[in-house]
């Protein structure tokens, strides 16, 4: 960390979705627990990258020796343009790609739709030693699924409980689940989508369907609120990260990941061979 | 690129395995085509990272619009400790993780062994728009496979032709295959393995079996030579990258990848919607 950190509070606690949480009361332009500005935040992100890098390597190393079955799973959900890609690039991009398992969930394929909604998710859960990242996730099935009525109401209802049970199994087996909603304002989304229209090299990121979803903004906010109410558990709580300031969102998610890794506290595994014997063998080779 | 590049020759040509190539004649401590030292090389690697980053995003964008089926596949082979991991980390680590598909091939599982040796490989070939990286590959099946006689001699013989046909199919379908052997000297390997023994936080990377393989060094060099003779084709040539200097190996592999991406020359796709219409819809939303 840098000499003077601008963190004034515990970000995991400040952003956690607890009983009584109201999404409507969150200010997407706020920077909870942080009293610095962009420049300080970026410097702190760089310092945090070195810390994450070491923790990730320790986690990977520990898993190779059967010393731990621990893994981390970052679940990213957000409205379009809220910055999921930037998190992957600027937060995950700073650690060794060999320790990251990234899964981007798009519109389900016919094969995926022929199975339970968690079938494709289960296949992409991180193995021990890895940091998994879900760019969208099983929550789509209770977000767009609910807003667009892609399944009967009772099926949507069933899914909340199924998700809680599924995540409980993962956490019991050693996965720390970090669930993040990146929260931007309605106006900020308009600005960001407009900026894509202004740059020909960003046109490929623009999809007219994004505006169709944008027109259902209130329904999405309701769907998020219900998902939070039903699936923010002690073992796998949600965190709502204000994301109008990209630098803050990245820094906050990095802190949440460092916290998860610190909780695991992975140690370098002890040698399973005699070091002096090996030194002699090597020298003679 | 930096103001004055120290490249004095075409690295793709200088390192390519052509007819008459002899591995035994390659100096692992050389820096072919580059007359700078470590510091200049590292600065050039940073400059190259920005170039690779843009090309990778263009490639990904182009593939989203069906404008191209192109992809890149980096195949990394080497003796232990030659620096495969460093390439993944320092060359691939500089581009957006969302555009990279990394596959590390370990000892085959029973399920993999119950299929043809290319079965597990086919499943991990990069989709359009991606840069795939094979950390070890189907070449293990003619390297350790040959040295350790893991398959009958006639089966090993069959595999060279099967590999050439397989790679031809991939290149015909739009994949640029960049095949790299990182080449360190026998002495350099001893130094690097010894360094792992010297540091408790590196013990997990040390495996006594590595010394067993080291004792078969000449047989491995022969197996590499045969693989080069049989599988270095016009469409998918091998490159032998001297790797005693890690900075050179990274820079050279980066150059080979930039060359492959430049060959594809991916363009930002044109908008598939009317920009003004979308601007109006967005403004009204």
């Amino acid at each position: 960390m840098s000499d003077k950190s601008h963190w004034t509070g515990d970000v995991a606690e400040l952003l956690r979705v607890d009983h009584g949480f109201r999404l409507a009361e969150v200010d997407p332009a706020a920077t909870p627990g942080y009293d610095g500005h962009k420049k300080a935040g970026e410097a702190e992100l760089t310092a945090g990258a070195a810390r994450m890098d070491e923790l990730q390597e320790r986690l990977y190393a520990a898993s190779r020796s059967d010393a731990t079955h621990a893994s981390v799973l970052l679940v990213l959900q957000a409205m379009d343009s809220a910055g999921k890609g930037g998190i992957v690039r600027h937060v995950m991009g700073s650690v060794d790609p060999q320790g990251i398992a990234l899964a981007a969930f798009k519109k389900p394929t016919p094969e995926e739709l022929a199975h339970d909604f968690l079938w494709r998710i289960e296949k992409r859960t991180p193995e021990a030693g890895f940091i998994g990242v879900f760019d969208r996730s099983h929550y789509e099935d209770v977000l767009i699924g609910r807003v667009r009525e892609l399944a009967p109401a009772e099926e949507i209802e069933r899914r909340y409980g199924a998700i809680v049970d599924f995540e409980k199994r993962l956490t019991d087996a050693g996965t720390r689940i970090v669930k993040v909603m990146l929260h931007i304002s309605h106006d900020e989304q308009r600005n960001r989508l407009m900026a894509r229209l202004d740059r020909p090299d960003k046109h490929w990121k623009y999809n007219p369907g994004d505006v169709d979803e944008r027109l259902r903004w209130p329904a999405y906010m309701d769907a998020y609120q219900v998902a939070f109410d039903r699936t923010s558990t002690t073992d796998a709580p949600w965190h709502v990260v204000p994301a109008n300031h990209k630098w803050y969102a990245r820094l906050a998610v990095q802190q949440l990941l460092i916290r998860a890794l610190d909780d695991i506290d992975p140690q370098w595994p002890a040698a399973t061979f005699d070091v002096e014997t090996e030194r002699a063998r090597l020298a003679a080779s």
Side-chain angles (χ1 to χ4, degrees), chain A:
Chain A
M1 289 305 232
S2 61
D3 293 332
K4 27 180 199 166
S5 166
H6 287 270
W7 284 109
T8 59
D10 179 344
V11 69
E13 211 166 288
L14 287 165
L15 303 182
R16 192 171 55 221
V17 170
D18 289 323
H19 186 71
F21 170 89
R22 299 298 311 159
L23 178 58
E25 291 165 9
V26 175
D27 175 5
T31 61
Y34 197 78
D35 71 2
H37 291 287
K38 186 175 177 179
K39 203 172 160 183
E42 288 176 344
E44 219 147 354
L45 189 74
T46 302
R51 176 91 184 112
M52 241 183 77
D53 198 35
E54 188 192 328
L55 285 166
Q56 179 274 323
E57 192 181 349
R58 280 177 183 261
L59 176 68
Y60 185 84
S63 76
R64 296 305 98 170
S65 72
D66 293 327
T68 175
H69 289 287
S71 62
V72 173
L73 173 59
L74 174 64
V75 174
L76 287 173
Q77 285 292 155
M79 298 298 285
D80 281 314
S81 82
K84 287 189 283 80
I87 296 288
V88 172
R89 184 164 199 155
H90 298 282
V91 178
M92 305 317 300
S94 68
V95 308
D96 193 336
Q98 294 163 100
I100 303 293
L102 183 60
F105 293 99
K106 316 270 185 197
K107 194 177 159 188
T109 64
E111 188 189 19
E112 288 169 347
L113 286 172
H115 292 83
D116 180 57
F117 77 107
L118 291 171
W119 179 74
R120 66 175 185 159
I121 305 296
E122 181 86 50
K123 293 201 288 183
R124 308 300 294 275
T125 53
E127 57 181 291
F130 279 75
I131 303 177
V133 181
F134 284 179
D135 176 352
R136 303 189 189 275
S137 67
H138 41 302
Y139 285 98
E140 290 295 317
D141 297 288
V142 293
L143 292 167
I144 191 170
R146 185 182 182 98
V147 171
R148 290 283 193 175
E149 297 177 357
L150 301 179
E154 58 273 23
E155 164 62 9
I156 302 283
E157 282 303 306
R158 180 189 72 84
R159 289 177 183 171
Y160 298 106
I163 287 173
V164 169
D165 291 346
F166 169 70
E167 293 181 352
K168 175 79 164 62
R169 172 160 60 81
L170 294 188
T171 56
D172 284 350
T175 301
R176 307 280 163 140
I177 306 180
V178 179
K179 298 191 291 199
V180 166
M181 181 223 186
L182 300 175
H183 187 38
I184 55 171
S185 66
H186 191 247
D187 283 350
E188 178 69 14
Q189 192 194 48
R190 187 191 301 107
N191 296 341
R192 292 187 186 183
L193 293 177
M194 203 66 93
R196 289 182 183 173
L197 289 175
D198 290 342
R199 289 180 52 179
D201 64 336
K202 298 293 178 196
H203 283 171
W204 69 278
K205 288 191 170 183
Y206 185 92
N207 177 350
D210 295 348
V211 179
D212 301 332
E213 297 310 306
R214 173 174 168 75
L215 294 171
R216 295 164 192 260
W217 188 277
Y220 273 104
M221 294 305 111
D222 286 348
Y224 272 106
Q225 180 68 51
V226 175
F228 296 151
D229 291 343
R230 302 284 295 272
T231 67
S232 197
T233 61
T234 309
D235 286 336
W238 273 100
H239 296 85
V240 172
V241 176
N244 273 15
H245 294 294
K246 290 179 183 174
W247 64 265
Y248 174 79
R250 292 168 189 171
L251 188 58
V253 173
Q254 184 189 65
Q255 285 296 309
L256 294 174
L257 288 168
I258 288 175
R259 167 68 63 93
L261 288 159
D262 270 336
D263 275 353
I264 296 171
D265 192 23
Q267 301 299 315
W268 297 116
T272 52
F273 47 83
D274 183 72
V275 175
E276 286 315 313
T277 304
E278 291 303 316
R279 236 191 271 272
R281 283 182 76 213
L282 245 187
S285 74

